[in-house]
């Protein structure tokens, strides 16, 4: 019995970006458009407000903004005429502004991974400093030893 035929290999000319394929490409293009609108529309707002709100979407002629609190949402609504004029000047067909209260995600706290030096390490640093002839290097070792003792 002859071996089964091998399936034909697809010829490729290297890797192709996932952003070049149908739905992903249109999604990436939409994200770029929304990002561009976000930057341009928020640039028309006064400084403290532009830093607090984000443009989220343009759907069915409605500009949707996200605000971290109802107080900031109210401030956005005060500028809706200005926002609509700016959107129209940018070529967006918008007739209304909606603001949703959506608290910003908390900032990620990066833990301090530096492990403090032990008392034993401080003693070794002092002993090493005593054997050094270079005064600058000796001072650095002593300073490090002092830091270790302060953390205890």
């Amino acid at each position: 019995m002859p071996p089964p035929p091998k399936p034909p290999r697809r010829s490729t000319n290297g890797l192709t970006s996932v952003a070049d394929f149908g739905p992903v490409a249109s999604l990436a293009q939409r994200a770029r458009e929304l990002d561009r609108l976000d930057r341009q529309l928020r640039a028309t707002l006064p400084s403290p407000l532009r830093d607090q709100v984000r443009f989220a979407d343009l759907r069915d002629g409605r500009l949707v903004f996200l605000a971290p609190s109802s107080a900031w949402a109210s401030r956005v609504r005060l500028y809706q005429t200005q926002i609509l004029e700016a959107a129209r000047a940018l070529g967006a067909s918008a007739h209304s502004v909606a603001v949703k209260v959506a608290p910003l995600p908390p900032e990620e706290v990066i833990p301090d991974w530096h492990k403090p030096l032990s008392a034993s390490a401080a003693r070794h640093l002092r002993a090493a400093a005593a054997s050094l002839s270079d005064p600058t290097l000796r001072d650095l070792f002593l300073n490090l030893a002092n830091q270790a003792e302060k953390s205890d």
Side-chain angles (χ1 to χ4, degrees):
M1 178 177 231
K6 293 183 180 180
R9 291 186 64 181
R10 292 179 26 197
S11 64
T12 61
N13 294 331
L15 298 177
T16 305
S17 171
V18 72
D20 294 338
F21 291 102
V24 176
S26 64
L27 184 62
Q29 177 62 31
R30 174 93 171 129
R32 282 190 293 275
E33 290 170 6
L34 291 176
D35 184 54
R36 180 185 59 82
L37 268 175
D38 175 52
R39 283 183 276 112
Q40 292 175 329
L41 291 176
R42 284 190 306 122
T44 66
L45 299 173
S47 182
L49 182 58
R50 88 173 60 128
D51 297 332
Q52 293 295 319
V53 299
R54 294 289 177 259
F55 174 70
D57 200 6
L58 170 60
R59 188 163 303 223
D60 300 325
R62 186 174 73 164
L63 298 166
V64 180
F65 281 84
L66 300 177
S69 69
S70 58
W72 287 112
S74 296
R75 291 179 187 172
V76 172
R77 287 183 195 99
L78 291 174
Y79 288 94
Q80 68 183 2
T81 303
Q82 177 181 327
I83 293 169
L84 286 169
E85 287 173 2
R88 289 181 190 126
L90 294 169
S93 58
H95 56 75
S96 65
V97 174
V99 186
K100 296 183 178 188
V101 176
L104 296 174
E107 289 187 26
E108 181 181 348
V109 177
I110 300 172
D112 185 12
W113 295 107
H114 296 97
K115 189 174 179 179
L117 294 174
S118 66
S120 174
R123 282 193 306 275
H124 288 290
L125 285 168
R126 287 193 183 287
S131 69
L132 295 171
S133 59
D134 181 4
T136 305
L137 192 55
R138 183 181 327 116
D139 290 343
L140 289 172
F141 271 61
L142 291 173
N143 187 14
L144 189 55
N146 289 337
Q147 294 296 323
E149 291 169 348
K150 287 179 186 176
S151 66
D152 285 345

